[in-house]
């Protein structure tokens, strides 16, 4: 749930797996996706279970995605309008 | 030519060290993984966010730190990860402009802390986030981890996160605290060493009461399951594993069991470490100014043992002055006063931190109830049963457990499983010397793209 009281945001739209996600410029990609109900970002290597952002500081790597074709931690990636985001292949 | 001081990290300790060393005329380079200085406690807002009305105190403090940092004559490399430091003190980094090397005459590690989580069934589910992770969402993204949140673990962050969620308008289904009221009362006098923070704490508790949030003392998370797009959380009393289970439905769980220093670089450099349970387990052996076991290397702030953000800034300043002193720079008139003031503030901050440390402490008993199927290693999907089997088969230290099970071999480099494996190993093998009771770090200590290291052939990142 976003705090509407302490900040003003500027709208953006990104593409996640072909789906248009309305979000805000500068917020983390994790925040943008979570607000749209998308939390599963990666598949674990052995049990093939879904994983999502856990540490929010670029350490756990459970939020690794491809942003415009380059691997990035979604927790460290600020939203830019028109960003194209894909899950990484397991 | 003035000495080249390379500082890894621009949280409060890195900022304190950087502005002090830069003001003394040293050639300072600060390398940090994030977008803006401030670290995790004093996270900045995204540049595109426009702050309105009154801002949280940590943000205001962070802005003043950032202002002082940007006014100092130093080189700052944001969004840049340090993945290796050689014994020649050449710092290897990768950032937006590719790979870079930074030879240091003096190295200051201000790498801060990472979160410790005692695992439970379902801690790897999407929607379960760290407690410190939740504070980052709240401070920087200005959002709660979910619409209905369970906040669990131990330490003052529990109340901070729960109160902030309530303030923004989320529902807090429960606060699950491993400590009891008597544990909090026992440390209350020390919390009063910082009346400002004590008052803040009372404000959090009042906010939770007004919102009618149930607080379960002496309880812990037993299991989280994903059912019909919801998370169902099972909570049990600490020490009583049968019966009395309570369930809460939510869409997010924030859980954390204290903080530990990020010792990857200090261990990589082969610095002497010691065991200190309250300060986060394995900590570099440094003096009061951060001087490590090797000349020209300093560790400051939470990276040298957990004492919190307020203490970290003062520790950084003290380290910056020590560096200048060790380089033989004549002390300026104001420095003695600066040092005395920093020490006074550090004393108060550390009394307060002592209370936090007590509340965040875990013991082996906290790892006793782990179910065999519970995952220890998030990166490589290694369970409690697999770790125990490796130790029963003769793995004599953590590196052997790692080699046999792949636990700790993934991209987080053992930062989230190390404490758990150490506790499981100690149960069977008894207390271990600190070096064999932890993973040996190997470069790269942070994940880095091969393209960033070798360049792209266009000279841009060579």
């Amino acid at each position: 749930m976003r705090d509407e009281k302490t900040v003003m945001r500027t709208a953006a739209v990104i593409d996640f797996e072909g789906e248009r996600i309305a979000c805000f410029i500068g917020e983390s990609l994790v925040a943008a996706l979570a607000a749209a109900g998308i939390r599963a970002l990666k598949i674990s290597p052995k049990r093939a279970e879904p994983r999502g952002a856990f540490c929010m500081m670029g350490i756990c790597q459970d939020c690794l995605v491809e942003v415009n074709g380059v691997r990035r931690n979604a927790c460290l990636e600020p939203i830019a309008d028109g960003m194209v985001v894909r899950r990484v292949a397991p | 030519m003035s000495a080249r001081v390379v500082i890894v990290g621009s949280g409060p300790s890195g900022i304190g060290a950087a502005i002090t060393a830069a003001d003394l005329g040293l050639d300072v380079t600060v390398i940090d993984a994030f977008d803006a200085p401030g670290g995790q406690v004093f996270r900045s807002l995204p540049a595109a966010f426009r702050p309105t009305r009154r801002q949280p105190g940590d943000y205001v403090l962070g802005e003043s730190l950032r202002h002082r940092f940007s006014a100092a004559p130093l080189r700052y490399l944001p969004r840049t990860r340090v993945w290796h430091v050689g014994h020649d003190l050449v710092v290897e980094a990768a950032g937006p402009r590719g790979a870079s090397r930074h030879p240091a005459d003096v190295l200051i590690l201000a790498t801060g802390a990472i979160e410790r989580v005692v695992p439970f069934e379902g801690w790897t589910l999407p929607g379960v986030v760290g407690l410190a992770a939740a504070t980052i969402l709240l401070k920087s993204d200005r959002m709660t981890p979910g619409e209905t949140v369970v906040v669990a673990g131990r330490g003052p962050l529990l109340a901070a996160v729960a109160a902030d969620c309530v303030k923004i308008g989320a529902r807090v289904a429960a606060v699950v605290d491993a400590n009891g009221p008597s544990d909090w009362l026992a440390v209350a006098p020390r919390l009063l060493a910082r009346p400002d923070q004590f008052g803040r704490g009372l404000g959090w508790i009042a906010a939770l009461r007004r919102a009618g949030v149930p607080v379960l003392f002496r309880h812990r998370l037993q299991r989280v399951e994903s059912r019909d797009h919801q998370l169902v959380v099972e909570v049990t009393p600490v020490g009583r594993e049968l019966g009395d289970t309570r369930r809460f439905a939510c869409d997010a769980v924030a859980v954390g069991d204290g903080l530990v220093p990020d010792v990857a670089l200090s261990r990589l450099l082969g610095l002497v470490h010691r065991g200190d349970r309250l300060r986060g387990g394995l900590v570099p052996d440094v003096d009061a100014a951060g001087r490590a076991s090797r000349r020209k290397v300093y560790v400051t702030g939470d990276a040298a043992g957990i004492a919190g953000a307020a203490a970290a800034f003062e520790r950084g300043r003290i380290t910056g002055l020590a560096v200048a002193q060790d380089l033989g720079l004549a002390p300026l008139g104001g420095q003695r006063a600066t040092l005395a003031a920093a020490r006074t503030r550090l004393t108060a901050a550390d009394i307060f931190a002592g209370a936090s440390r007590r509340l965040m402490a875990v013991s082996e008993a906290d790892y006793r109830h782990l179910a065999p199927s519970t995952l220890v290693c998030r990166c490589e999907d290694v369970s409690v049963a697999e770790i125990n089997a490796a130790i029963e088969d003769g793995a004599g230290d953590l590196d052997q457990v790692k080699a046999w099970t792949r636990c700790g071999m993934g991209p987080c480099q053992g930062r989230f499983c190390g404490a758990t494996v150490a506790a499981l190993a100690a149960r069977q093998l008894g207390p271990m010397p600190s070096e064999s009771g932890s993973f040996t770090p190997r470069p790269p200590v942070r994940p880095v793209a091969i393209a960033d290291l070798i360049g792209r052939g266009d000279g841009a990142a060579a």
Side-chain angles (χ1 to χ4, degrees):
Chain A
M1 181 181 284
R2 290 189 181 95
D3 177 8
E4 317 276 349
K5 289 173 285 203
T6 62
V7 288
M8 308 257 287
R9 299 173 171 88
T10 308
V13 177
I14 62 164
D15 171 324
F16 179 76
E17 296 282 333
E19 191 186 336
R20 282 165 60 87
I21 308 284
C23 51
F24 296 98
I25 293 175
E27 67 182 355
S28 72
L29 180 51
V30 164
L33 295 175
I38 300 162
R39 290 223 170 82
L41 300 177
K42 220 177 92 174
I43 297 294
S44 77
K46 265 158 62 186
R47 294 190 180 182
E49 293 169 345
R51 293 286 159 78
F54 180 70
C55 79
M56 288 302 291
M57 49 179 100
I59 292 169
C60 76
Q61 304 300 316
D62 277 337
C63 69
L64 195 71
V65 292
E66 266 182 21
V67 177
N68 300 331
V70 182
R71 286 185 175 210
R72 294 281 180 224
N73 290 129
C75 69
L76 299 181
E77 199 61 19
I79 290 291
D81 199 33
M83 200 178 242
V84 177
V85 185
R86 297 285 179 266
R87 290 194 174 98
V88 295
Chain B
M1 199 180 92
S2 58
R4 295 164 303 181
V5 179
V6 177
I7 302 176
V8 184
S10 67
S13 64
I15 291 175
I19 59 179
T20 307
D23 285 345
L24 291 166
L26 296 171
D27 175 17
V28 176
T29 300
V30 182
I31 307 176
D32 189 85
F34 298 92
D35 278 319
Q40 305 311 326
V41 169
F42 300 115
R43 281 284 276 240
S44 64
L45 279 176
F49 282 23
R50 289 186 307 278
T52 58
R53 292 174 33 163
R54 252 183 68 184
Q55 292 297 306
D58 282 346
Y59 173 77
V60 177
L61 265 172
E63 286 297 280
S64 94
L65 284 182
R66 278 183 282 279
H67 180 75
R68 291 168 75 176
F69 184 78
S70 63
L74 52 83
R75 205 173 301 105
Y76 167 54
L77 304 174
R79 288 181 77 96
T80 303
R81 290 176 175 187
V82 171
W83 60 272
H84 183 51
V85 180
H87 284 274
D88 51 0
L89 299 191
V90 175
V91 177
E92 306 271 1
R97 272 173 271 159
S100 56
R101 307 178 82 229
H102 309 273
D105 298 313
V106 172
L107 176 68
I108 303 178
L109 300 177
T111 49
I114 52 178
E115 193 151 38
R116 171 176 56 207
V117 178
V118 178
F120 50 88
E121 282 291 300
W123 75 296
T124 53
L125 284 169
V128 179
V129 300
L131 199 53
T135 69
I136 294 169
L137 273 169
L138 289 160
K139 284 166 195 276
S140 185
D141 287 309
R142 297 289 165 91
M143 72 179 276
T144 65
E147 310 274 320
T148 305
V149 188
V150 168
V151 182
R154 64 196 80 209
L157 277 187
L158 283 178
V161 166
D164 275 357
C165 286
V166 165
K167 205 162 145 194
I168 289 175
R171 200 170 77 81
V172 175
V175 174
V176 182
D177 187 349
N179 291 299
S182 59
D183 301 306
W184 285 88
L185 277 175
V187 301
R190 278 185 276 173
L191 293 173
L192 274 166
R194 289 185 62 205
D196 55 326
Q197 293 292 64
F198 190 79
R200 245 176 116 192
L202 293 180
W204 294 333
I205 292 165
L208 296 178
R209 283 222 160 156
R210 275 197 305 276
V213 173
V215 179
L216 286 82
F217 287 113
R218 303 280 304 151
H219 278 67
R220 62 174 179 81
L221 298 189
Q222 165 89 354
R223 169 198 307 275
V224 180
E225 280 177 8
S226 176
R227 255 185 248 160
D228 308 325
H229 304 287
Q230 270 199 324
L231 296 174
V232 179
V233 178
E234 264 183 41
V235 175
T236 59
V238 171
R240 278 183 288 149
E241 311 315 332
L242 296 171
D244 296 325
T245 300
R246 292 180 64 176
R247 286 184 181 79
F248 299 92
C250 60
D251 64 343
V253 177
V255 56
D257 295 292
L259 304 169
V260 295
D262 190 348
V263 294
L265 290 174
S266 57
R267 292 264 285 125
L268 192 62
L269 276 164
L271 303 182
V272 174
H273 288 64
R274 61 188 170 81
D276 186 329
R277 191 173 69 91
L278 287 175
R279 283 178 177 74
L282 194 62
V283 302
D285 199 8
V286 298
D287 74 0
R291 293 180 186 91
S293 60
R294 200 191 138 161
R295 281 183 68 241
K296 310 287 188 192
V297 179
Y298 302 72
V299 190
T300 193
D302 276 354
I306 304 301
F313 180 69
E314 309 302 343
R315 292 163 90 184
R317 287 186 61 90
I318 292 167
T319 298
L321 288 168
V323 167
Q325 192 190 359
D326 296 347
L327 288 167
L329 298 183
L332 301 171
Q335 279 168 24
R336 270 180 242 277
T338 305
L339 187 60
R343 283 191 181 136
T344 304
R345 283 190 300 265
L346 178 57
T347 303
D350 201 48
I351 293 171
F352 181 88
S356 294
R357 283 194 289 263
R358 182 69 60 185
L359 293 171
M360 294 193 303
V362 296
S363 69
E364 261 174 54
D366 293 300
Y367 293 90
R368 209 168 284 155
H369 61 268
L370 299 192
S373 58
T374 295
L375 285 179
V376 174
C377 173
R378 302 174 66 88
C379 300
E380 298 286 337
D381 280 344
V382 186
S383 67
V384 170
E386 288 169 85
I387 307 284
N388 283 336
I391 298 165
E392 275 155 29
D393 286 348
D397 63 25
L398 261 62
D399 286 335
Q400 253 172 343
V401 173
K402 178 177 171 178
W404 293 3
T405 65
R406 296 192 62 82
C407 184
M409 221 178 264
C412 95
Q413 286 284 290
R415 285 177 177 87
F416 286 104
C417 60
T420 308
V421 183
L424 293 176
R427 267 175 64 191
Q428 293 197 44
L429 304 173
M432 281 185 282
S434 54
E435 265 68 28
S436 56
S438 69
F439 296 125
T440 303
R442 310 272 181 216
V445 296
R446 315 233 0 202
V448 48
I450 297 288
D452 281 342
L453 297 188
I454 61 174
R456 289 177 297 266
D458 56 3

